[in-house]
Amino acid sequence: MPEPTKKDETETENAPPPAEQKAPQEGGTEKGKVWSIGEGEETEKRDDSQRSTLFVEKPQSGSVSVGGNITFIAKVEAKDLLRKPNVKWFKGKWMDLASKAGKHLQLKESFERHTKIHTFEMHIIQAKLNYAGNYRCEVSYKDKFDSCSFDLEVTESSQAAPSIDIRSAFKRSGDGQDDAGELDFSGLLKRREVKQQEEEPEVDVWELLKNANPSEYEKIAFQYGITDLRGMLKRLKRMRREVKKSAAFAKGLDPAYQVDKGGKVRFMVELADPTVELKWYKNGQEIRPSAKYIFEHKGNQRILFINNCSMTDDARYYVTAGDEKCSTELFVRDPPILVTKGLEDTSTYVGERVELSCEVSEDDANVKWFRNGVELPNDPKSRYRIKVEGKKHTLIIEEAAKNDNATYSVMTTGGQSEAKLSVELRPLKISLALEDQTVRLGQEIHLKCEISENVEGKWYKNGQLIEASDRVKLYHKGRIHRFVIASAAVDDEGEYMFVPDAYNINIPCKVHVVDPPKLHLDGLGENNTVTVVAGSKLRLEIPITGEPTPKVTWSKGDKWITDSGRIRTETYSDSSCLVIDAAEREDSGPFRIALKNEAGEDTALINIKVVDVPDPPEAPNVTEVGEDWCIMTWEPPANDGGSPILGYFIERKKKQSSRWMRLNFELCKETTFEPKKMIEGVAYEVRVFAVNAIGISKPSMPSKSFVPLAVTSPPTLLAVDSVTDTSVTMKWRPPDHIGAAGLDGYVVEYCFEGTDEWIVANPELTDKTKFTINGLPTGSKILVRVKAVNAAGESEPRYHPQPILVKEVIEPPKIRLPRHLKQTYTRRVGETVNLVIPFQGRPRAKVSWEKNGSPIDKNQINIRNTENDTIVFIRKAERSHSGEYDMKVEVENLVDKATIDIQIVDRPGPPEVVTIEDVWGENVNLSWKPPKDDGNSAITGYTIQKADKKSMEWFTVMEHYHRTSATINELVIGNEYYFRIFAENMCGLSEDATMTKESALIAKDGKVYKYPVYDDFDFSERPLFTQPLVNTFAVAGYNATLNCSVRGNPKPKITWLKNKVLIMNDPRYRMFSNQGVCTLEIRKPSPYDGGTYTCRAVNELGEAEVDCKLEVKVIYHGVINPGEPLILAGDNQLHSKDF
């Protein structure tokens, strides 16, 4: 399990000790309150009694000793899950243990296919004390969630803490100290009968807490009046630590002291050495002598008196003597708060102000109020207000309600009191009753009544409850209640009634609404026009109102319409219908409707318009075709069917298919449309539908068939391949998109700078991506472009970005030696050597190789040269292939060289003669000489084996041994041994071993061994660089590092120089030295950082230096033209015009 951070260690150290898990009692449910030890947060309350929705087996609390292992297991049933659920393990509230997995914590999961059970395990390995605490396992799957908490107890044997009166010491709240805290009792308060507190015998609260479950901590704290539970648990945790024996203190401080508030306390320590300087501290602050703090010396005793103790003196104290310290805890007892004047029973009426008062023994004491055993909140939004005036505490209810009848109680740390509150209703009288009303439609309905009490009430209409809305307004001000409807409707007629709340009385009245006849034509169109499709049935319903029900008549011109025939009327109580079966164009025209009753009359003209669907448009024309699109146009239909054309629908199909596909689902308002997403190279046809308000016309005739085709995209990556005095060779890449029409070839065109006349370089298409333009005048500048051609035509041209000078450019030779070849290239005998070294240089670069200054034998080493690189290939390497290989690249009179050091290594030969130098007791001393053949690699060590002369079975006694002499120990007395030694280098052990010629007999008789006298070995050594600096190339803008290694004793001082100038306090350089490896880092070098860098090592025996050259390159990415820089290296610039 990963080690906690410093903060976690501190909080864990001060956490309460875990207790053994106790099973819940039968017949009840236990709500465990678990302290989050790892996080130091307040107790997280969980109800583990709820039935799990995902867990089939929950992890259980457990105990483990320090250094032991423990496993917690959770199982989830996967029968109803489509995938693996998500499981997380936490310590405390928020510490996700997935990020802490490692050596001490392992999280595993498995799945049993037969039982369909997911098993999740958390393994804690080599537990430590700070692993103790509350843990939580959470599982989730989509919207399902389940959680389970459990405890881990880590035990360690320790001396029992001394018994002190913890109950008295912790009856306080925080005074701003680190350990101060206030316990929230609301989770423990339940509805119960408040009893007078009885005297209880003195109880050792520490013993209770030590043996209790952590979930019972708050219950014990509430029962025994402990208000700083978290501070108590932290401080008692420190008291339990084992006191180490001190050399400075003959007698230390007691683990804890207690004193009454205002009293005096005495701290005393006895020193082993009375001359040691002694200092006293309180919460880390040194205590100075004063009237409150008095120091006294008596022999070896040092005494501190604290007078007139207050709650601020409740803290941790310690005394220091030299480098040692001794600490203790001081607990200041605060006397319990008593209720000196209790609550009194009170009776009142609804709406009255109620005050319940009591008095306590101290000013501004902490007092809790309860209603029927439930604590009352003290916040501004609560209807209960608590007022404190010195020792007097008052609970105020501004307007008492019927539901305020309850038993109210007050509780302090030393007592409690209760009283009953009774709230009754006053007798109700009706001062102003409701009156019957008759109103016209649209006028205001205003009902008003007045009663003797200021109480709420409800309004009813025909026995149905009326709720306030935007139309119905309900007002209540004091004893007056009003009901208002701004605009009366017919439905508002009825019997109304007001009923006051909590009273068995009602106030009734009647409302009558008068309504003249009226036609409601809001749903008709402009000029009351109704459109009907020819051949369909029209049923026009006109809403009507009027009281009494009006008489309805319909007519067209001077002809009355009856209730029978193809055109007829139907009349109902709230509407009248005009019905036309199979409408005809002759039915168009105005129809008159008339209403009449005793309150008045109303008439209107309704225009009937008979319409039809439009005619189909003409066949569309396809005017333009693309890769997967086309553009089509058409003319509107000759007849719109009596209704304006709203738009068009377009369909298409493949020519060989009979299945049409709709292309637009929103109407096309124009007579032009662009179909898309067609398959290139496939023949299509299109057609059009016209749409008006009536419906969709028949389809038009199909268009002529067409095939979508498109040109390719432009060629890519057009660049200059080579230039001579009369020709330019261009190269490019094929287009990114070619299409169904394929690619027939390319056209290369050029024009001279300053003209607009493009000349075709290849009269016939070329299918290659490289072309040479010949016959160009020397010194001229041309512009070049390339087009791709297919059946659809030429693509957009791809232009070369800059003019090209027709003149051969000399590119100086440059060898791009790979980084791994800048150091010694090592291979074993028999392995393949294949080196590829790129270079640049034009024209006609010549490459030559030499080995150790002589030409290379091409029968043993194969070399292949190309325009851009050279390859060195050795199929089966031999040690004779080792050496320095010199590579030279020549372009005319320009030369670049590079050297590659190749080392072919093999296993070493056996050591030379092995001699038994001495035999004594159970020991044998051997010596030998290094092998003559080291395999072309440094000897890294030796392997020593022994064999009993009887069995001659060899056993290894030492491996990777670096010296040439060794002592073999623990040999069996009475046996006779032979020894052999293998040499070892980077390739492995030697094939053969050198064995001692004689055997070594371990005699049984003991001998007095005379130890040889050895002179002390002088390890002093002047500085020596074991790995030199290497010439390095760096790219401008990228960090570069220089490395070397040095040894020396005493440890040499390392300094760095640039061009023999010491580098000091320059932020662009960072210097490191670790285990003899020296590193200089150059941050984002520029060409001016190039030069000679020197590493200097100096100690008292001498000094050593090693240097290298750093070349910083700036690569110019562009076309190589005369006058443009090619490479910036150091302070030099190389221009093409120099050639």
Side-chain angles (χ1 to χ4, degrees):
M1 186 170 184
E3 292 294 331
T5 61
K6 183 175 181 181
K7 177 179 177 182
D8 294 335
E9 289 175 352
T10 304
E11 294 177 351
T12 303
E13 180 184 24
N14 298 332
E20 295 182 357
Q21 186 72 20
K22 294 185 178 180
Q25 299 177 358
E26 293 186 2
T29 303
E30 180 180 275
K31 294 185 178 180
K33 300 177 179 60
V34 181
W35 289 88
S36 178
I37 298 176
E39 296 296 325
E41 299 289 343
E42 292 186 359
T43 304
E44 179 181 3
K45 302 176 181 178
R46 297 184 179 273
D47 188 357
D48 290 338
S49 63
Q50 297 180 0
R51 184 175 181 180
S52 171
T53 58
L54 291 173
F55 281 120
V56 295
E57 180 179 337
K58 299 181 180 180
Q60 302 297 321
S61 299
S63 175
V64 66
S65 300
V66 173
N69 302 336
I70 190 170
T71 301
F72 296 96
I73 300 176
K75 293 186 178 181
V76 178
E77 187 174 7
K79 180 172 64 176
D80 299 329
L81 308 182
L82 299 180
R83 58 180 174 81
K84 185 184 74 174
N86 185 24
V87 172
K88 292 185 178 180
W89 298 84
F90 296 89
K91 181 180 181 187
K93 280 189 176 182
W94 313 117
M95 184 188 291
D96 189 348
L97 296 180
S99 62
K100 306 293 184 182
K103 178 180 178 182
H104 295 279
L105 175 68
Q106 296 180 3
L107 303 179
K108 297 182 179 180
E109 58 185 53
S110 60
F111 178 67
E112 180 61 36
R113 297 185 179 275
H114 300 292
T115 59
K116 294 186 177 179
I117 295 293
H118 287 282
T119 302
F120 301 89
E121 300 178 2
M122 180 177 72
H123 300 276
I124 296 179
I125 304 169
Q126 297 179 0
K128 300 181 180 180
L129 280 176
N130 56 3
Y131 294 174
N134 175 247
Y135 291 78
R136 187 171 78 257
C137 179
E138 291 184 357
V139 57
S140 60
Y141 177 79
K142 293 185 178 179
D143 58 344
K144 296 182 180 180
F145 177 82
D146 202 357
S147 177
C148 175
S149 64
F150 54 95
D151 295 326
L152 171 62
E153 178 184 3
V154 182
T155 60
E156 182 183 45
S157 59
S158 60
Q159 296 180 358
S163 176
I164 60 173
D165 187 0
I166 304 302
R167 177 183 177 188
S168 300
F170 283 93
K171 288 185 179 179
R172 60 179 178 83
S173 59
D175 293 317
Q177 303 173 10
D178 293 340
D179 294 337
E182 185 174 353
L183 183 62
D184 181 9
F185 293 96
S186 59
L188 292 173
L189 295 175
K190 301 180 180 177
R191 297 179 62 89
R192 57 184 174 83
E193 181 180 356
V194 180
K195 299 180 181 179
Q196 186 67 29
Q197 187 175 12
E198 300 178 358
E199 290 189 4
E200 298 178 358
E202 288 295 328
V203 178
D204 191 342
V205 182
W206 166 243
E207 289 298 328
L208 287 177
L209 291 174
K210 185 166 65 172
N211 299 320
N213 189 290
S215 62
E216 299 179 355
Y217 285 169
E218 288 188 1
K219 181 178 178 181
I220 296 173
F222 176 77
Q223 181 178 356
Y224 293 98
I226 297 173
T227 58
D228 192 9
L229 178 59
R230 291 182 61 203
M232 181 192 73
L233 293 176
K234 289 181 179 180
R235 295 169 69 180
L236 291 182
K237 178 68 176 179
R238 290 197 296 263
M239 290 170 50
R240 294 187 65 194
R241 297 177 189 163
E242 182 178 357
V243 179
K244 296 182 178 179
K245 197 167 184 180
S246 172
F249 295 97
K251 181 179 179 181
L253 295 171
D254 292 341
Y257 295 81
Q258 65 180 18
V259 65
D260 292 334
K261 183 178 180 182
K264 177 179 179 180
V265 68
R266 174 178 178 267
F267 295 152
M268 188 272 289
V269 296
E270 185 174 341
L271 298 178
D273 182 4
T275 62
V276 175
E277 182 182 1
L278 198 74
K279 292 185 179 181
W280 295 85
Y281 295 87
K282 172 187 174 182
N283 285 340
Q285 299 294 326
E286 185 177 357
I287 301 174
R288 300 293 183 182
S290 63
K292 184 177 183 67
Y293 301 102
I294 299 175
F295 297 94
E296 183 176 324
H297 294 186
K298 291 183 179 181
N300 289 0
Q301 294 182 352
R302 301 294 182 265
I303 304 172
L304 168 65
F305 292 95
I306 303 177
N307 298 321
N308 193 19
C309 292
S310 63
M311 298 309 296
T312 58
D313 295 320
D314 189 306
R316 185 178 183 221
Y317 293 80
Y318 64 89
V319 57
T320 62
D323 295 335
E324 296 191 20
K325 74 176 182 178
C326 180
S327 62
T328 186
E329 295 283 346
L330 175 60
F331 302 115
V332 180
R333 296 187 298 187
D334 198 359
I337 299 172
L338 304 177
V339 179
T340 58
K341 182 179 179 181
L343 302 175
E344 297 180 357
D345 294 343
T346 305
S347 298
T348 186
Y349 289 110
V350 173
E352 295 292 333
R353 175 187 171 99
V354 179
E355 292 187 2
L356 300 176
S357 300
C358 71
E359 293 184 4
V360 297
S361 58
E362 291 190 11
D363 293 341
D364 300 328
N366 186 18
V367 173
K368 295 185 181 293
W369 289 86
F370 300 87
R371 180 181 182 271
N372 290 336
V374 178
E375 185 178 358
L376 296 176
N378 186 14
D379 60 79
K381 296 183 180 179
S382 174
R383 65 189 304 269
Y384 300 98
R385 187 162 58 90
I386 299 174
K387 181 179 179 183
V388 180
E389 296 176 342
K391 298 180 181 180
K392 185 177 180 180
H393 294 252
T394 306
L395 176 65
I396 302 174
I397 306 175
E398 292 294 342
E399 295 183 359
K402 189 70 177 176
N403 58 4
D404 289 326
N405 283 310
T407 299
Y408 293 82
S409 60
V410 62
M411 182 179 295
T412 67
T413 58
Q416 58 184 6
S417 177
E418 67 177 24
K420 293 185 178 180
L421 175 62
S422 177
V423 183
E424 302 293 340
L425 294 172
R426 294 180 185 272
L428 184 67
K429 296 180 181 180
I430 301 175
S431 303
L432 177 63
L434 297 176
E435 297 180 355
D436 296 342
Q437 293 186 11
T438 301
V439 297
R440 291 182 62 86
L441 187 69
Q443 292 183 345
E444 181 183 70
I445 300 176
H446 191 174
L447 304 179
K448 178 181 178 181
C449 67
E450 184 178 353
I451 57 180
S452 60
E453 296 298 325
N454 182 14
V455 297
E456 299 287 342
K458 295 181 177 60
W459 290 87
Y460 295 86
K461 174 190 173 185
N462 298 331
Q464 300 294 323
L465 178 65
I466 301 175
E467 300 288 348
S469 63
D470 294 339
R471 183 171 178 272
V472 179
K473 306 295 183 183
L474 304 179
Y475 300 97
H476 173 211
K477 184 176 181 181
R479 298 176 298 173
I480 298 175
H481 295 264
R482 294 188 296 129
F483 176 92
V484 178
I485 299 178
S487 179
V490 177
D491 295 338
D492 294 329
E493 182 173 340
E495 294 185 0
Y496 289 80
M497 178 174 59
F498 175 75
V499 179
D501 289 346
Y503 289 92
N504 188 17
I505 189 172
N506 60 74
I507 307 173
C509 73
K510 293 183 179 180
V511 176
H512 180 63
V513 180
V514 177
D515 185 13
K518 183 174 180 60
L519 288 166
H520 299 276
L521 305 176
D522 298 338
L524 301 181
E526 186 179 359
N527 298 325
N528 294 337
T529 300
V530 177
T531 303
V532 60
V533 179
S536 62
K537 179 178 180 179
L538 171 65
R539 181 181 178 85
L540 177 62
E541 183 175 359
I542 305 298
I544 61 176
T545 57
E547 188 66 31
T549 303
K551 181 180 179 181
V552 183
T553 58
W554 287 85
S555 64
K556 181 182 181 184
D558 55 357
K559 182 179 179 181
W560 297 96
I561 300 175
T562 64
D563 57 358
S564 62
R566 189 177 65 84
I567 302 177
R568 60 187 182 275
T569 62
E570 297 177 358
T571 301
Y572 304 95
S573 61
D574 59 349
S575 65
S576 179
C577 293
L578 174 65
V579 181
I580 302 177
D581 293 331
E584 301 174 356
R585 286 190 177 273
E586 292 75 12
D587 296 333
S588 300
F591 286 73
R592 183 176 182 274
I593 180 174
L595 302 180
K596 186 176 181 181
N597 69 358
E598 60 186 21
E601 63 180 18
D602 192 11
T603 61
L605 289 177
I606 300 174
N607 296 316
I608 304 298
K609 182 179 180 181
V610 181
V611 297
D612 202 352
V613 297
D615 293 341
E618 297 294 331
N621 295 321
V622 178
T623 59
E624 189 175 350
V625 177
E627 176 185 4
D628 61 347
W629 55 270
C630 71
I631 296 178
M632 55 183 289
T633 60
W634 63 89
E635 295 295 332
N639 183 9
D640 62 2
S643 178
I645 298 297
L646 301 179
Y648 302 90
F649 285 120
I650 296 91
E651 290 184 348
R652 77 166 184 229
K653 75 175 183 69
K654 297 177 182 178
K655 182 177 181 181
Q656 305 299 328
S657 173
S658 60
R659 179 176 172 271
W660 290 90
M661 183 176 68
R662 177 71 57 85
L663 299 182
N664 61 319
F665 295 95
E666 294 184 1
L667 289 176
C668 176
K669 307 294 184 181
E670 308 294 335
T671 56
T672 301
F673 188 76
E674 183 180 349
K676 297 181 179 180
K677 296 183 179 180
M678 292 185 286
I679 302 174
E680 188 178 359
V682 178
Y684 287 90
E685 295 177 348
V686 292
R687 66 182 184 183
V688 183
F689 295 82
V691 181
N692 63 5
I694 309 307
I696 303 175
S697 70
K698 293 181 180 180
S700 68
M701 294 299 293
S703 67
K704 294 182 180 179
S705 61
F706 61 93
V707 178
L709 287 175
V711 298
T712 68
S713 61
T716 60
L717 303 178
L718 178 61
V720 177
D721 185 59
S722 62
V723 179
T724 66
D725 290 341
T726 59
S727 67
V728 174
T729 301
M730 305 298 296
K731 62 181 179 180
W732 61 90
R733 298 292 295 168
D736 291 333
H737 179 71
I738 295 178
L743 178 63
D744 296 336
Y746 301 93
V747 174
V748 181
E749 298 178 342
Y750 69 94
C751 74
F752 293 99
E753 186 179 28
T755 65
D756 295 332
E757 181 183 358
W758 288 93
I759 303 171
V760 178
N762 56 328
E764 296 183 358
L765 296 179
T766 176
D767 57 353
K768 301 184 181 300
T769 57
K770 187 174 182 180
F771 186 80
T772 301
I773 305 174
N774 297 309
L776 298 175
T778 303
S780 62
K781 290 186 177 181
I782 63 171
L783 299 173
V784 181
R785 68 183 184 187
V786 179
K787 301 178 183 177
V789 182
N790 66 359
E794 295 180 347
S795 69
E796 291 293 325
R798 174 67 68 185
Y799 291 89
H800 191 271
Q802 295 178 355
I804 304 170
L805 177 64
V806 184
K807 184 178 180 181
E808 189 169 20
V809 178
I810 297 177
E811 183 178 0
K814 189 64 179 178
I815 300 174
R816 303 293 183 185
L817 194 64
R819 179 174 296 179
H820 69 280
L821 296 180
K822 294 179 181 180
Q823 300 178 353
T824 301
Y825 182 77
T826 305
R827 281 291 181 269
R828 297 186 180 184
V829 171
E831 291 183 345
T832 300
V833 177
N834 188 11
L835 305 180
V836 180
I837 299 95
F839 62 85
Q840 64 184 32
R842 292 188 181 182
R844 297 173 295 280
K846 180 181 178 182
V847 182
S848 61
W849 284 89
E850 290 183 354
K851 176 187 174 184
N852 297 329
S854 302
I856 292 178
D857 185 359
K858 294 185 179 180
N859 295 326
Q860 295 184 359
I861 302 175
N862 296 322
I863 295 179
R864 184 175 63 85
N865 299 324
T866 65
E867 294 181 358
N868 301 316
D869 57 33
T870 179
I871 300 174
V872 177
F873 180 77
I874 303 175
R875 185 176 302 277
K876 191 173 182 181
E878 298 177 359
R879 290 175 61 178
S880 59
H881 294 146
S882 301
E884 290 187 354
Y885 290 74
D886 298 320
M887 173 184 174
K888 182 169 65 175
V889 179
E890 299 179 85
V891 176
E892 295 186 357
N893 59 342
L894 300 175
V895 178
D896 192 17
K897 298 180 180 180
T899 301
I900 301 174
D901 187 6
I902 298 178
Q903 181 181 6
I904 308 300
V905 299
D906 197 0
R907 291 198 290 180
E912 294 192 32
V913 179
V914 179
T915 306
I916 298 175
E917 297 291 343
D918 195 5
V919 179
W920 74 98
E922 300 175 359
N923 309 304
V924 173
N925 180 259
L926 303 177
S927 65
W928 62 92
K929 294 182 180 180
K932 293 182 179 179
D933 182 10
D934 61 0
N936 206 20
S937 176
I939 298 299
T940 59
Y942 299 92
T943 297
I944 305 172
Q945 294 182 346
K946 68 179 180 179
D948 189 356
K949 185 176 181 180
K950 297 177 183 179
S951 61
M952 289 306 292
E953 293 184 8
W954 293 97
F955 298 94
T956 301
V957 294
M958 288 186 181
E959 289 183 313
H960 314 299
Y961 189 76
H962 297 285
R963 299 180 181 179
T964 56
S965 63
T967 299
I968 312 301
N969 303 319
E970 298 181 358
L971 299 175
V972 178
I973 296 176
N975 288 1
E976 191 172 356
Y977 291 93
Y978 284 97
F979 300 91
R980 67 180 183 183
I981 300 177
F982 294 86
E984 182 180 6
N985 65 3
M986 63 180 295
C987 294
L989 297 176
S990 59
E991 295 183 0
D992 300 324
T994 302
M995 190 175 70
T996 57
K997 296 181 178 179
E998 299 177 353
S999 62
L1001 176 62
I1002 309 302
K1004 295 183 178 181
D1005 296 333
K1007 295 182 180 180
V1008 178
Y1009 176 71
K1010 183 179 180 181
Y1011 290 92
V1013 178
Y1014 297 102
D1015 295 332
D1016 292 337
F1017 185 77
D1018 185 9
F1019 289 95
S1020 300
E1021 183 182 8
R1022 62 177 297 165
L1024 174 65
F1025 282 94
T1026 58
Q1027 178 64 39
L1029 293 173
V1030 179
N1031 293 340
T1032 305
F1033 297 93
V1035 178
Y1038 295 87
N1039 290 359
T1041 58
L1042 304 178
N1043 299 283
C1044 63
S1045 61
V1046 65
R1047 73 184 185 192
N1049 190 24
K1051 182 178 179 180
K1053 179 181 178 182
I1054 305 301
T1055 55
W1056 289 87
L1057 302 91
K1058 175 188 174 185
N1059 296 330
K1060 303 303 179 181
V1061 177
L1062 186 65
I1063 299 175
M1064 294 182 62
N1065 301 326
D1066 192 335
R1068 294 183 300 116
Y1069 299 94
R1070 289 202 305 173
M1071 307 173 192
F1072 308 95
S1073 179
N1074 184 19
Q1075 300 294 329
V1077 178
C1078 305
T1079 302
L1080 175 66
E1081 181 181 356
I1082 307 171
R1083 296 183 176 180
K1084 297 183 179 179
S1086 65
Y1088 302 101
D1089 290 319
T1092 301
Y1093 286 82
T1094 303
C1095 180
R1096 178 182 296 166
V1098 180
N1099 67 6
E1100 60 188 21
L1101 299 179
E1103 66 177 47
E1105 289 185 357
V1106 63
D1107 53 20
C1108 70
K1109 290 184 178 180
L1110 174 66
E1111 181 179 358
V1112 182
K1113 300 181 180 179
V1114 178
I1115 305 301
Y1116 179 79
H1117 299 282
V1119 178
I1120 302 175
N1121 286 321
E1124 294 184 358
L1126 299 177
I1127 298 175
L1128 297 180
D1131 297 333
N1132 302 320
Q1133 288 191 355
L1134 183 65
H1135 289 74
S1136 58
K1137 66 183 180 181
D1138 297 334
F1139 304 95

